[in-house]
Amino acid sequence: MLKQEIEDGQASLADPSFRHDVLRGFEMRPRAIPARWFYDRRGSELFEAITDLPEYYPTRTETAILQACCGEIAAIAGAGRAVVEFGSGSSTKTPILLQAVDPAAYVPIDISGDFLRESSSLLAAAFPGLTVLPLEADFMKPIALPLQIAATPKLGFFPGSTIGNMVPHSSVDLLRAMKASLGEGAMLVIGMDRIKDPAVLEAAYDDAQGVTAAFNLNLLERINRELDGTIPIATFRHRAIWNDDRSRIEMHLEALADVAFGIEGRPFAMAAGETIHTENSHKYGPRDARMLLRAGGWTPVAEWTDPAGLFAVILAEA
Ligand code: AVI
């Protein structure tokens, strides 16, 4: 593609799947754009900031649970497994597990090559002698793991309750894909967020400093940046709503007034009060969590939670 074409606005280097999901999302009723598009560089930085917020309990709670339970995980799983982390991102919880389980190798998998390379080199520096084999891939599909670890039993690691961002049938597909990727004798450590007081949940997804609002609204900024959009961002507000029937927090972007805008030259309009659904974050009771794992082909073998029962870490076997 010619540089001049890009500067003239006649062509862009936007990801074709992003363009497809956004244009389709604005045509759908209700409007919806998949949450995976939050994570451009700015969105990833805002997510890191969310994990430090006083209202956002999941990260610090899961970290404390892992600090307390990784010794037991090591005792049950045994040493010498290859740890395979799905959606490693900034890998902040990984050192706790790696320290405890004495792995044969560490395979971080992430769709974002930049983040993967940065966090892999940090981990390799922190664990000299550990074989780190980063894999840039979409872990929603079965993945061919590096040949070096073909004969090594695997310990999958999927923290953060990222599974909660999928609707139930997709989370079952993902658990099955993980089982296929990890192979015979594999085990999985997974973090799952618990159902709790809706006020606590809504505050966690609509914090007082407005960081989650900025994270949600950055999706519109990304559309404007990458898809030549003219969305007036200030005409939208962030909403976080507990949907009790579906056991999930939903994030939406609501138009505050009638609004018209273009995306790559195509006209769109929204009436005041209409929303774009941007994320689901499912929460699970203890039995729901175990049932989901079983539906995905995994047998839960041990489970740890914090004293207030906010979050759970589950160890399961294939
Ligand atoms: C990445 N994921 C597990 C987060 C969550 O809690 O569902 C994403 C997030 N969205 C808003 N705040 C955090």
Side-chain angles (χ1 to χ4, degrees):
M1 191 176 298
L2 292 173
K3 189 169 175 279
Q4 192 56 47
E5 275 184 324
I6 298 163
E7 282 167 3
D8 289 348
Q10 289 163 14
S12 77
L13 287 176
D15 183 327
S17 328
F18 179 47
R19 175 187 296 117
H20 169 270
D21 284 357
V22 168
L23 294 175
R24 188 166 159 270
F26 273 105
E27 272 151 19
M28 276 160 54
R29 295 295 177 272
R31 293 171 184 81
I33 298 174
R36 61 190 283 243
W37 299 115
F38 280 141
Y39 300 94
D40 62 354
R41 176 142 297 261
R42 175 82 187 124
S44 301
E45 285 166 2
L46 284 165
F47 177 65
E48 289 302 311
I50 286 173
T51 62
D52 284 334
L53 289 169
E55 297 93 332
Y56 193 75
Y57 60 87
T59 309
R60 61 172 175 277
T61 309
E62 185 184 39
T63 302
I65 298 170
L66 284 168
Q67 276 158 347
C69 77
C70 273
E72 280 178 71
I73 291 177
I76 300 170
R81 287 178 179 260
V83 170
V84 178
E85 183 168 2
F86 295 92
S88 51
S90 61
S91 296
T92 47
K93 295 158 199 153
T94 318
I96 307 168
L97 183 69
L98 295 182
Q99 198 84 57
V101 301
D102 189 16
Y106 170 57
V107 184
I109 305 173
D110 205 283
I111 203 159
S112 159
D114 286 354
F115 245 54
L116 185 66
R117 277 180 288 277
E118 279 168 33
S119 55
S120 299
S121 44
L122 284 173
L123 262 168
F127 290 87
L130 175 67
T131 306
V132 180
L133 304 165
L135 205 57
E136 191 173 340
D138 177 3
F139 62 79
M140 292 301 293
K141 300 169 194 141
I143 292 169
L145 293 175
L147 283 176
Q148 293 100 304
I149 56 161
T152 313
K154 316 293 186 304
L155 178 63
F157 188 40
F158 194 39
S161 199
T162 304
I163 191 124
N165 295 130
M166 284 145 227
V167 293
H169 71 85
S170 304
S171 44
V172 168
D173 288 349
L174 172 61
L175 289 165
R176 289 185 177 275
M178 285 175 169
K179 186 175 167 173
S181 303
L182 295 173
E184 195 91 357
M187 299 193 90
L188 176 68
V189 177
I190 185 167
M192 291 169 98
D193 198 6
R194 288 261 174 99
I195 300 170
K196 57 187 64 68
D197 180 353
V200 174
L201 287 167
E202 286 180 352
Y205 291 82
D206 193 5
D207 61 281
Q209 292 170 58
V211 182
T212 314
F215 173 70
N216 200 3
L217 288 160
N218 177 61
L219 180 63
L220 300 182
E221 280 165 22
R222 182 175 186 184
I223 294 170
N224 282 353
R225 266 194 311 267
E226 295 183 23
L227 299 177
D228 199 18
T230 60
I231 305 171
I233 315 285
T235 313
F236 285 84
R237 72 158 170 156
H238 164 67
R239 300 288 315 274
I241 302 156
W242 172 244
N243 182 332
D244 194 60
D245 184 46
R246 299 198 177 199
S247 195
R248 68 192 190 191
I249 281 281
E250 294 181 3
M251 297 211 314
H252 295 258
L253 289 162
E254 180 186 339
L256 294 167
D258 293 355
V259 61
F261 49 88
I263 299 172
E264 290 197 330
R266 290 213 218 169
F268 292 95
M270 289 176 67
E274 285 187 335
T275 66
I276 310 158
H277 186 172
T278 51
E279 188 181 61
N280 295 313
S281 195
H282 293 83
K283 311 299 169 189
Y284 311 92
R287 291 189 184 87
D288 311 329
R290 292 195 286 268
M291 195 141 73
L292 186 66
L293 282 164
R294 286 186 192 279
W298 294 90
T299 305
V301 294
E303 189 172 324
W304 299 267
T305 186
D306 52 293
L310 297 175
F311 198 94
V313 170
I314 303 174
L315 178 66
E317 65 190 4

